[in-house]
Amino acid sequence: MSTINVALLGFGTVGQGVCEAIDTHQDRLKEVLGKEVKIKAILIKDPAKQREIDPSIRVTTEYKDILDIPDLHVIFEAIVGEEPSYTYLSKAIKKGIHIITANKAMFAKYGPDLLEKASKNRVSVGFEATTAGGIPVIGTIRQLLKVNEIQSIQGILNGTSNFILSQMRTRELSFATALQESQEKGYAEADPTNDIEGYDAFYKLLILSQTAFGRQPDWKDIRRKGISHLTSEWLQAAESFRLRFKHVGSLERDGSNDIKGEVEPILVHDTHPFYGVENVENAISLKGSLVGRITLLGPGAGKCPTGSAMVEDFLSLIQGKYTISPESTVNREDVQEDSRRQWVLRIRENEEYQSWLTLFTLKDRIQLGGDLYVFVEGRKEDLRSLLQSHEHIQAVSILNEIPLENEVKEGVAVS
Ligand code: NAP
Ligand code: HSE
């Protein structure tokens, strides 16, 4: 039986997950592919680290050793940062080697370029593991795009920040302790600033945009906010309203086919599918033109879920299932702009608020310590000008329940 030869770049949480997945699922891989999968070499950075690696696998710090492997078919890339990953993968593609990456910071920026290079060199690129850990969201979007146009995407895209918020709420842990636990579990990035300040979710949102819409919005147009400013008082106030903080990335195509994106903490009602998404879980809600709303839930980070995503990608890639998504368009009438949304505003004691409150519909209010929390509904533009003129007012938007039934337009026949 012939073999499929692969190499790994990186042997941290994800690299070890891939190695273990190939090792433990060798029989299944043989059954599906009709070939044995052989890990020929692993690239690492620090040769002094102790590692448990099968002695038949070459371990090296020189990328040239990887490229020199005869008949190398696939490279799994699980190292950190834009470089040297981009350069390494460009060289691999040039040599006709397929690539599979988990590196979202690199792929958000260089994904379009790598996909173009791969297409010219007739190789494939797998990037399922860049987004939402073990959830097959990239594969799901590709499947939906066969018929549907994707209109909007919302997701809890960072396992570390979701874990921290859950732990702060349920175990009353401090932010620092919850972050440390997420690092020990292998969820956090090498630099956890990426997780807690929303950069990681931002990169994932760009990759989702590229996959679903065939392009990315201008990076500077995406508002990005992390979770590090949230306090336990905010979490408690939210519980009083039967609301929970979730760090959510959103993408929407408007009537002029522009893509709007945001990454920020949002409050979700207890009726919303994201409300019960806890700890390292991620969730993604996709709205397709025909199918309506689909919500996917699952583990968003860690060794096994990410290893699983990369090996699934490997199977699809070897089976020739990957094509590059074309730029897709959406009809104006498919997009329904809903400009009225809900927010909770935190107002400091003694702040006069009756005058500007008339701009909104007051839904509820609660006093906690010296702060008043008001629950309002209104236009986004009014909220924006309020926040610009009152710097000390803080606002968090609220996600309403997502209708689970299909939102099929009149005139579209379904049976
Ligand atoms: P990690 O545990 O820090 O491991 C990184 C690995 O890359 C280490 O083995 C390190 O080598 C190696 N490495 C770093 N720079 C290198 C270089 N210049 N040349 C050669 N090797 C280098 O990171 P991780 O959590 O596995 O994440 C890897 C990638 O997957 C990142 O891009 C991350 O964003 C992404 N990702 C992570 C997760 C997750 O749950 N952790 C999930 C999805 C995607 P040494 O061992 O010698 O230090
Ligand atoms: N640090 C990332 C997270 C890893 O916590 O979601 C998975 O992409």
Side-chain angles (χ1 to χ4, degrees), residues 384-395:
R384 205 170 278 144
S385 56
L386 172 70
L387 296 181
Q388 273 164 8
S389 54
H390 293 67
E391 277 180 2
H392 52 286
I393 295 179
Q394 284 182 288

Side-chain angles (χ1 to χ4, degrees), residues 102 104 129-133 157-161 186-189 195 200 204 280 282 300-302 306:
K104 55 260 160 151
T130 57
T131 306
L157 298 172
N158 184 263
T160 301
S161 51
Y187 304 153
E189 296 300 303
D195 298 291
D200 180 76
K204 291 167 177 168
V280 74
N282 280 189
T306 316

